[in-house]
Amino acid sequence: DAGVIQSPRHEVTEMGQEVTLRCKPISGHNSLFWYRQTMMRGLELLIYFNNNVPIDDSGMPEDRFSAKMPNASFSTLKIQPSEPRDSAVYFCASSTRQGEGSPLHFGNGTRLTVT
Amino acid sequence: KQEVTQIPAALSVPEGENLVLNCSFTDSAIYNLQWFRQDPGKGLTSLLLIQSSQREQTSGRLNASLDKSSGRSTLYIAASQPGDSATYLCAVSGGSNYKLTFGKGTLLTVNP
C-alpha cells in the first residue's frame, strides 16, 4: 500500500496565480479530507468528501478555494487567485467508513509558498 | 465550539525516561479521540484511536487513556528512545464524527 499520495511536494508561486494541489487516496478508502496546517492556526479541516461527494465545505476559507473529487482515486484542491496568506502546508487524508471512527491516513503534504 | 489544548508545547527528556503528554478538550460529547505523530516535513501518522466508550488503548510502548467526563486524555510513552522525537498531536471528533479538531501538538525531543 503506497499510502496517500500528494503532489507536488513543494509549490512556489506568485500572488494571483492559480494553484492546483493533487491527491490520490488509499485504494478502498471512501472518505477524503483536505486540511491546511499553519503555525498560527494549527490543522484546519477545509473540506470532506464521502464517496466522492462533498459533504462539508464549511472550512473552505473563501470562494478562491475549490475542491473536486471526480472519482474515488483522485481529488484536487484549487486556489485561484492565490494570495500570500494562503502559504501553508496542505494535507490530504483518507479513511474507511469514517462513521465507525476509522483512523485517518495522511499524505506527506504540499508546502505552498505564495510570494 | 470544540477546543483542544495540549500541554506542554515542548518537552525534552533523556533517553529511557517514561513520559506523559497531555490533551484536554472542552466539549465532552466526542465520538473518538486520536493521537498522531508528525515528523518534520511529513504528514501525520495515526498512533492510537480511542472510541468514546473506551478508557484506553495500547500499542507497544504507547498507552493512551481517555476520561470523557473531565475532558482529558494522556499519551504515555515508556522507555523513550531518540526515534520517538517528533510532534505528537491529539484530535477529537464531535457529533458529526468525521470532523476532527486538532490540538497544536507537543514537540518531543528524546536526547541520547
Side-chain angles (χ1 to χ4, degrees), chain A residues 99-114:
Chain A
E100 296 180 5
S102 304
L104 220 49
H105 297 261
F106 280 76
N108 283 332
T110 294
R111 181 174 295 277
L112 173 65
T113 303
V114 184

Side-chain angles (χ1 to χ4, degrees), chain A residues 9 33 35 37 39-43 45 48 56 58 91 98-104 106-108, chain B residues 31-32 34 36 38 41-46 49 51 89 93 96-104:
Chain A
R9 286 300 312 276
F33 307 79
Y35 283 88
Q37 186 177 40
M39 288 292 291
M40 288 296 294
R41 301 172 68 93
L43 269 161
L45 176 65
Y48 158 59
D56 185 347
S58 61
F91 287 104
Q98 188 64 14
E100 296 180 5
S102 304
L104 220 49
F106 280 76
N108 283 332
Chain B
Y31 189 80
N32 62 49
Q34 298 184 45
F36 294 86
Q38 185 174 25
K42 300 285 188 181
L44 282 70
T45 300
S46 180
L49 184 152
Q51 302 287 4
L89 298 98
S93 62
S96 51
N97 57 63
Y98 60 84
K99 191 171 269 189
L100 286 177
T101 302
F102 282 84
K104 291 196 174 178

Side-chain angles (χ1 to χ4, degrees), chain B residues 18-111:
Chain B
N18 302 326
L19 59 100
V20 174
L21 307 181
N22 296 293
C23 172
S24 62
F25 46 95
T26 54
D27 186 350
S28 62
I30 65 169
Y31 189 80
N32 62 49
L33 182 146
Q34 298 184 45
W35 281 94
F36 294 86
R37 168 186 173 136
Q38 185 174 25
D39 293 286
K42 300 285 188 181
L44 282 70
T45 300
S46 180
L47 298 173
L48 292 164
L49 184 152
I50 310 177
Q51 302 287 4
S52 62
S53 58
Q54 297 174 321
R55 294 298 301 267
E56 65 178 346
Q57 282 285 336
T58 298
S59 175
R61 295 182 294 108
L62 305 180
N63 175 275
S65 67
L66 174 63
D67 184 342
K68 268 183 53 177
S69 61
S70 67
R72 296 179 188 275
S73 175
T74 60
L75 179 67
Y76 174 82
I77 302 177
S80 58
Q81 303 170 357
D84 295 330
S85 299
T87 298
Y88 291 81
L89 298 98
C90 79
V92 298
S93 62
S96 51
N97 57 63
Y98 60 84
K99 191 171 269 189
L100 286 177
T101 302
F102 282 84
K104 291 196 174 178
T106 294
L107 175 61
L108 173 65
T109 302
V110 181
N111 301 300

Side-chain angles (χ1 to χ4, degrees), chain A residues 39-108:
Chain A
M39 288 292 291
M40 288 296 294
R41 301 172 68 93
L43 269 161
E44 302 172 287
L45 176 65
L46 299 177
I47 188 168
Y48 158 59
F49 290 88
N50 190 50
N51 292 323
N52 312 339
V53 176
I55 302 300
D56 185 347
D57 64 355
S58 61
M60 297 285 262
E62 300 170 36
D63 291 344
R64 299 184 296 106
F65 285 69
S66 62
K68 294 183 179 179
M69 191 165 187
N71 57 62
S73 60
F74 184 67
S75 177
T76 60
L77 178 67
K78 185 177 294 187
I79 308 173
Q80 165 65 16
S82 57
E83 297 183 3
R85 60 193 167 117
D86 301 331
S87 297
V89 181
Y90 291 80
F91 287 104
C92 176
S94 69
S95 73
T96 60
R97 303 174 70 176
Q98 188 64 14
E100 296 180 5
S102 304
L104 220 49
H105 297 261
F106 280 76
N108 283 332

